[in-house]
């Protein structure tokens, strides 16, 4: 069926994808801005979330946003599922008929049960990688730092793997939920029951099919990247001046192929899902295949779109950052040492990192120690809080990680060693809620004592702590840590912002640099992401793999053409 009607599949899939991108995407962005404006905050962050949720108008707008996003995702499913249903019944539908049937399905789903669809389409399916044709929600993922922290202990690793398996199992069992809503006219709750029934005993073959599809997609992407890069490498060698144009055109064509290929793959999946549900109802309102636009017009429009995309792509591929990206070792270099110890500091210095990041927390007697957690369980195996023990007790505590062993250092000892090694520090002030005295002042005093105040950075998650540093110690570079950021950047008077990589965007970087604020991204370990952020001109990368980051930064600096940038850009299309 897919082979016989591939033009129809492409026309429907691309049209619905473009409509979603051009209509639903801006609508969601507008609703988010309106909700934030109503709540009186510039952006949605972990710090502003409570204020947003306490404002009734903001909550109402966020509910409308959820309805729009869910409807858009469902309509993207409709492009494939409803078309598969009608082709199965022997009719080639018009696009307006598909749109009308999709809109009718959305209207049927609107109500209290829409929350079921929202949970599946906007959370469960994207997190599990099962978003059929729904590019609108593919960006959702578990923040890398959450996964990284969980995998640092055997218990956390087991919990993480268990959560992944549960997520995959839920996706396999709920795979038919949107199809049942669209093709059978069931309510979302009834569709959940139907999907669970239809997939009973089929989890293993479904998982095997999903795995095979993933492998096939990976091979296709690799072939696509190889083809695009080969042409650009030839241009790099024979005609460097034309290389950006060739790369831009190759990237634009790759984007076209990804959209078209993804649509055809979704078509195959849609037919398979209908087969699982055994849905073959009569089709109402479908007419003969439309003649469509003249071929010449279609070619001209497609050519204009590809040419425009090529120009934009060429400009992005040839952009040169104005500064060198700092490599910041996250809690030191931990390949051969326990995090946040003198050994991890010394290992990072041997690698040649630019800055070492560390965590400082206050002990029971007001002293400062270098430790990330508020309890000792993960690294010391002791069921005690840091706030319950004195500085002497903490610095005598043995910590173990990945076969390595050390003791918790005091902040003064850590700073003294950093000064000896001539390594600037990025100090994060951690809070356990039982602080006493003047912890902020004490941190700055240690840095000043060891001559590190001018070269180092101090950051905190709590906005009030950042404000205190800015107000009392204007000579110290202060920054805030932001795990979630959606909306307009408002850095305030900070010198830098440390942003979780899932919240990063080139536009955010542009806004920050316009305001004179540096941007650090955490925690970056993937070599490709290191290269991308370095090319973007991010000010600093906080990484748990500092050796790899240094190698990738050097590789970017040695680039003489655009073929390597193109290879990463092509892989970004499907990541």
């Amino acid at each position: 069926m897919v082979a016989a009607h591939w033009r129809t599949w492409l026309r429907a899939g691309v049209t619905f994808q473009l409509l979603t991108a051009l209509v639903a995407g801006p609508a969601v962005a507008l609703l988010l801005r309106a909700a934030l404006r109503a709540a009186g905050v510039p952006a949605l962050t972990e710090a502003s979330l409570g204020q947003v949720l306490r404002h009734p108008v903001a909550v109402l707008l966020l509910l409308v946003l959820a309805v729009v996003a869910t409807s858009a995702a469902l309509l993207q499913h409709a492009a494939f599922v409803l078309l598969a249903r009608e082709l199965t019944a022997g009719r080639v539908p018009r696009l307006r008929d598909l749109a009308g049937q999709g809109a009718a399905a959305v209207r049927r789903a609107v109500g209290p049960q829409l929350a079921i669809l929202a949970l599946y389409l906007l959370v469960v399916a994207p997190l599990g990688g099962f978003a059929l044709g729904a590019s609108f929600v593919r960006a959702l993922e578990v923040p890398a730092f959450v996964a990284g922290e969980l995998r640092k202990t055997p218990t956390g690793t087991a919990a993480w793997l268990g959560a992944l398996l549960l997520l995959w199992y839920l996706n396999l069992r709920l795979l038919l939920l949107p199809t049942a809503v669209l093709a059978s006219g069931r309510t979302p709750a009834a569709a959940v029951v139907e999907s669970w029934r239809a997939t009973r005993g089929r989890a293993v073959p479904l998982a095997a099919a999903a795995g095979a599809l993933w492998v096939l997609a990976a091979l296709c992407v690799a072939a696509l990247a190889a083809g695009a890069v080969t042409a650009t490498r030839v241009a790099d060698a024979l005609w460097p001046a034309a290389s950006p144009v060739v790369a831009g055109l190759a990237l634009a064509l790759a984007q076209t192929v990804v959209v078209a290929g993804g649509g055809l793959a979704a078509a195959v999946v849609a037919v398979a899902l209908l087969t699982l549900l055994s849905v073959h109802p009569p089709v109402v309102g479908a007419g003969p295949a439309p003649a469509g636009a003249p071929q010449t017009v279609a070619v001209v429009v497609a050519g204009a779109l590809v040419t425009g995309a090529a120009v934009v792509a060429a400009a992005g591929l040839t952009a040169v950052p104005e500064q060198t990206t700092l490599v910041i070792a996250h809690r030191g270099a931990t390949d051969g040492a326990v995090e946040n110890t003198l050994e991890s500091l010394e290992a990072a210095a041997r690698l040649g990192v630019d800055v070492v990041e560390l965590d400082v927390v206050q002990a029971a007697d007001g002293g400062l120690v270098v430790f990330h957690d508020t309890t000792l369980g993960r690294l010391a195996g002791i069921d005690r809080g840091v706030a319950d023990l004195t500085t002497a007790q903490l610095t005598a505590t043995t910590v173990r990680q990945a076969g390595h062993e050390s003791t918790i250092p005091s902040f003064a000892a850590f700073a003294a060693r950093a000064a000896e090694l001539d390594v600037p520090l990025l100090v994060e002030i951690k809070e356990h809620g039982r602080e006493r005295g003047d912890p902020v002042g004490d941190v700055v005093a240690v840095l000043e004592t060891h001559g590190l105040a001018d070269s180092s950075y101090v950051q905190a998650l709590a906005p009030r702590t950042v404000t205190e540093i800015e107000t009392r110690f204007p000579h110290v570079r202060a920054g805030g840590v932001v795990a979630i950021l959606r909306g307009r950047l408002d850095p305030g008077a900070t010198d830098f912002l440390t942003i979780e990589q899932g919240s990063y965007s080139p536009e955010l970087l542009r806004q920050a640099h316009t305001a004179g604020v540096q941007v650090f991204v955490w925690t970056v370990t993937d070599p490709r992401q290191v290269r991308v952020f370095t090319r973007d001109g991010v000010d600093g990368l906080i990484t748990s793999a500092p050796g790899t980051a240094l190698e990738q930064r050097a590789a970017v600096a040695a680039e003489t053409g655009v073929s390597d940038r193109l290879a990463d850009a092509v892989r970004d299309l499907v990541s």
Side-chain angles (χ1 to χ4, degrees):
M1 182 196 303
V2 176
H5 298 282
W6 66 271
R7 290 185 181 87
T8 304
W9 285 109
L10 283 181
R11 185 168 60 246
V14 172
T15 299
F16 276 65
Q17 293 283 354
L18 286 176
L19 285 175
T20 301
L22 297 176
V23 178
V28 166
L30 182 64
L31 286 167
L32 177 59
R33 286 197 297 270
L36 297 176
R37 191 180 302 113
V41 297
L44 182 63
T45 67
E46 62 274 18
S48 66
L49 179 59
Q51 183 176 342
V52 173
L53 294 180
R54 287 192 297 269
H55 197 286
V57 175
V59 171
L60 178 60
L61 289 168
L62 289 178
L63 289 175
V64 175
L65 184 154
V67 171
V68 171
T70 303
S71 301
L74 190 61
L75 282 173
Q76 285 190 317
H77 281 263
F80 303 103
V81 173
L82 293 178
L83 182 56
R85 185 188 71 168
E86 298 207 359
L87 291 177
T88 300
R91 297 294 190 99
V92 181
R94 297 180 177 88
L95 291 182
R96 64 172 177 266
D97 294 327
L98 286 179
Q101 293 171 29
V106 170
R107 286 194 298 271
R108 288 195 304 270
V110 170
Q113 291 193 25
L114 187 68
I116 298 174
L117 275 175
L119 181 61
Y120 175 77
L121 292 172
L122 305 183
V123 180
V124 176
L127 284 177
F130 281 73
L132 172 62
S135 59
F136 184 72
V137 294
R138 278 185 195 147
L140 183 63
E141 61 181 8
V142 177
F145 77 94
V146 174
E149 289 301 315
L150 284 173
R151 292 197 296 264
K152 287 184 177 180
T153 64
T155 302
T157 299
W160 172 248
L161 292 176
L164 287 179
L165 290 174
L166 177 61
L167 188 62
W168 260 66
Y169 180 75
L170 284 175
N171 270 289
L172 291 171
R173 298 304 303 272
L174 297 176
L175 190 62
L176 303 175
L177 169 56
T179 305
V181 170
L182 290 166
S184 302
R186 298 182 185 276
T187 64
V192 169
V193 175
E194 177 64 15
S195 179
W196 207 266
R197 180 200 62 77
T199 57
R200 184 180 296 116
R202 295 175 171 174
V204 173
L206 285 174
L213 189 61
W214 185 91
V215 171
L216 179 61
L219 291 174
C220 291
V221 170
L224 182 63
V229 171
T230 298
T232 307
R233 288 196 193 281
V234 172
D236 280 343
L238 301 180
W239 193 7
S243 183
V245 176
V246 174
L249 183 60
L251 182 56
L253 290 174
Q255 291 170 328
T256 304
V257 171
V258 167
V259 171
L264 291 177
V268 173
V269 173
V271 173
L273 295 180
L274 282 176
T275 302
L276 279 175
L277 276 179
S278 301
V279 175
H280 304 288
V283 180
V284 180
Q295 290 289 332
T296 303
V297 175
V299 171
V300 170
V301 172
L305 290 174
V306 171
T307 301
V311 171
V312 173
L317 289 171
T318 55
V320 178
E322 298 179 356
Q323 72 284 321
T324 300
T325 299
L326 299 175
V327 172
I328 305 170
H330 186 229
R331 306 176 199 170
T334 56
D335 282 345
V338 181
E339 66 181 53
N340 277 328
T341 59
L342 295 179
E343 290 84 359
S344 68
L345 168 64
E346 292 164 350
R350 286 193 296 272
L351 287 174
V353 303
D354 302 297
V355 181
V356 168
E357 186 266 352
L358 67 145
D359 306 285
V360 171
V361 64
Q362 192 184 69
D365 57 358
L368 300 173
V369 296
V370 180
F371 199 70
H372 175 270
D373 303 347
T374 57
T375 63
L376 299 173
R378 179 171 65 91
L379 293 180
I382 301 172
D383 188 19
R384 297 288 300 276
V386 173
D388 297 324
L389 302 175
T390 65
T391 305
Q393 290 173 313
L394 289 168
T395 54
T397 300
T398 300
V399 287
R400 299 177 179 85
Q401 187 178 40
H404 308 291
E405 184 176 300
S406 185
T407 55
I408 299 173
S410 67
F411 179 43
F414 198 97
R417 185 59 178 141
E420 293 172 358
L421 296 169
D422 194 24
V423 176
L425 300 177
L426 170 56
V427 183
E428 180 167 349
I429 299 177
K430 294 289 187 180
E431 298 182 11
H432 46 59
R434 294 164 57 186
E435 283 74 23
R436 50 185 289 187
D438 183 16
V440 171
D442 292 342
V443 167
V444 174
V446 170
L447 291 175
E448 290 177 334
T449 297
H450 298 284
L452 295 170
D454 293 334
S455 62
S456 296
Y457 306 81
V458 181
Q459 66 181 17
L461 183 63
R464 68 178 185 283
T465 303
V466 179
T467 301
E468 181 181 354
I469 302 168
E470 296 167 350
T471 304
R472 294 177 57 193
F473 308 102
H475 63 290
V476 175
R477 286 177 285 188
V481 180
V482 183
I484 302 171
L485 177 59
R486 296 292 184 272
R488 179 175 56 84
L489 179 69
D490 182 17
T494 58
D495 299 297
F496 67 95
L497 283 176
T498 298
I499 299 171
E500 201 279 324
Q501 60 180 323
S503 293
Y504 168 83
S505 70
E507 172 59 20
L508 184 148
L509 180 66
R510 186 196 64 78
Q511 293 176 20
H513 284 177
T514 300
V517 174
Q518 292 183 302
V519 172
F520 297 162
V521 181
W522 62 290
T523 305
V524 185
T525 56
D526 179 64
R528 180 175 58 83
Q529 288 294 343
V530 172
R531 296 192 298 272
V532 170
F533 290 140
T534 300
R535 296 184 189 116
D536 281 356
V538 167
D539 299 283
L541 297 179
I542 302 176
T543 173
S544 297
T548 298
L550 289 167
E551 292 172 359
Q552 297 305 315
R553 185 180 68 177
V556 170
E559 290 175 349
T560 56
V562 295
S563 55
D564 292 326
R565 296 185 179 208
L566 176 63
D568 287 335
V570 171
R571 293 186 179 94
D572 272 340
L573 294 177
V574 292
S575 63

